[in-house]
Amino acid sequence: MPRTIDTAELIPLIARLCQKACFELGEDVVSALEAALAKEESPYGRDTLKLLIENARYAKAEQIACCHDTGTCVVYLRIGQEVCWSGAPLADAVNEGVRVGYREGYLRKSIVRDPLDRVNTGDNTPCVLHCEIVPGDRVGVTVMPKGGGSENMGCFTTLVPAVGAEGVKDYVLHSLEAAGGKTCPPVIVGVGIGGTMDQCVWLAKKALLRPVGQSHPEPYYAQMERELLERINDLGIGPLGMGGRVTALAVHIETWPCHITALPVAVNLQCHAARHASAEL
Ligand code: SF4
């Protein structure tokens, strides 16, 4: 039996999620920052982590943005296959939710209408919308404001399969070295391995939605995540690039089957303002 949902129902929901995400860092993120403070040795690094934790608490208490860069708004819908939509086109309703959320939350508008003429759209739309069809009659909605500093340092390559796991790890480490402090560390490192170019990059971003530090379900990849985290933290970049032991809070790997000729790898970096909020319709 199909379930009909008016797309207008998405507008207040997405508006609320935009604000919640920007105002309230998840408890998993705050706990990871506190754990980082406990192990950071550098005085600058420790002072920086204390400020980041205090900033997150203050933003939540005062319901204000925890970072001035409230990002490109990424919206991810998991749509039950028994759902039928009525009303305005889905993408229009989603963008209206973003428009209302950013306007009423006094969130910075950071989107330009064209990558070369650079005129601000004035309302942070359009968002980047991803939809997946899933079983059931519910709709999962996730809003992920993605700041420019960390997003700008993401990267993708297709390795030759012969380089194997060592080649993948080298690529991830080089990408962190190249990013240095520009990503506002400590970061969460999303790594996509496999798929096609587009799928691989999406895997790397989706990996950032896992609770911070939740391991890959397969022991092989969970071990690779632990090894990469240790080696990234050995780079010494530290909180906000001030030097220190903690450059990353977690490494999250997602994988997908791929072509016999290819070993695609994508890295999507998430700054300490690791914002996302979810709800179900
Ligand atoms: S990279 Fe993150 S923490 Fe740094 S300015 Fe952008 S959104 Fe803010």
Side-chain angles (χ1 to χ4, degrees), residues 67-70 146-150 182-184 270-273 275:
C67 179
H68 66 102
D69 180 359
T70 49
K146 192 70 171 61
S150 52
K182 292 178 193 158
T183 54
C184 297
Q270 171 62 67
C271 59
H272 66 82
R275 296 158 291 185

Side-chain angles (χ1 to χ4, degrees), residues 5 22 27 58 230:
I5 304 176
C22 288
E27 279 308 312
Y58 187 79
E230 199 175 315

Side-chain angles (χ1 to χ4, degrees), residues 105-138:
Y106 300 100
L107 304 174
R108 196 182 83 181
K109 287 74 176 179
S110 308
I111 301 302
V112 294
R113 68 181 184 185
D114 179 280
L116 293 182
D117 82 10
R118 315 300 296 181
V119 177
N120 197 304
T121 62
D123 59 10
N124 222 55
T125 70
C127 68
V128 172
L129 176 59
H130 296 274
C131 296
E132 279 180 17
I133 304 300
V134 298
D137 64 356
R138 313 291 293 174

Side-chain angles (χ1 to χ4, degrees), residues 31-146:
S31 297
L33 289 169
E34 286 168 345
L37 176 60
K39 69 175 171 222
E40 181 54 83
E41 295 159 6
S42 137
Y44 285 134
R46 289 181 56 77
D47 285 350
T48 304
L49 287 167
K50 283 180 196 162
L51 283 173
L52 297 182
I53 294 165
E54 191 185 331
N55 177 69
R57 291 201 181 116
Y58 187 79
K60 182 176 181 182
E62 297 297 321
Q63 292 288 283
I64 55 174
C66 68
C67 179
H68 66 102
D69 180 359
T70 49
T72 301
C73 192
V74 178
V75 179
Y76 172 34
L77 300 182
R78 280 125 9 244
I79 303 171
Q81 65 186 20
E82 289 157 43
V83 169
C84 285
W85 295 103
S86 65
L90 182 67
D92 291 357
V94 170
N95 277 310
E96 183 60 14
V98 172
R99 192 174 286 120
V100 171
Y102 274 68
R103 185 182 65 230
E104 295 184 353
Y106 300 100
L107 304 174
R108 196 182 83 181
K109 287 74 176 179
S110 308
I111 301 302
V112 294
R113 68 181 184 185
D114 179 280
L116 293 182
D117 82 10
R118 315 300 296 181
V119 177
N120 197 304
T121 62
D123 59 10
N124 222 55
T125 70
C127 68
V128 172
L129 176 59
H130 296 274
C131 296
E132 279 180 17
I133 304 300
V134 298
D137 64 356
R138 313 291 293 174
V139 179
V141 183
T142 296
V143 169
M144 181 190 202
K146 192 70 171 61

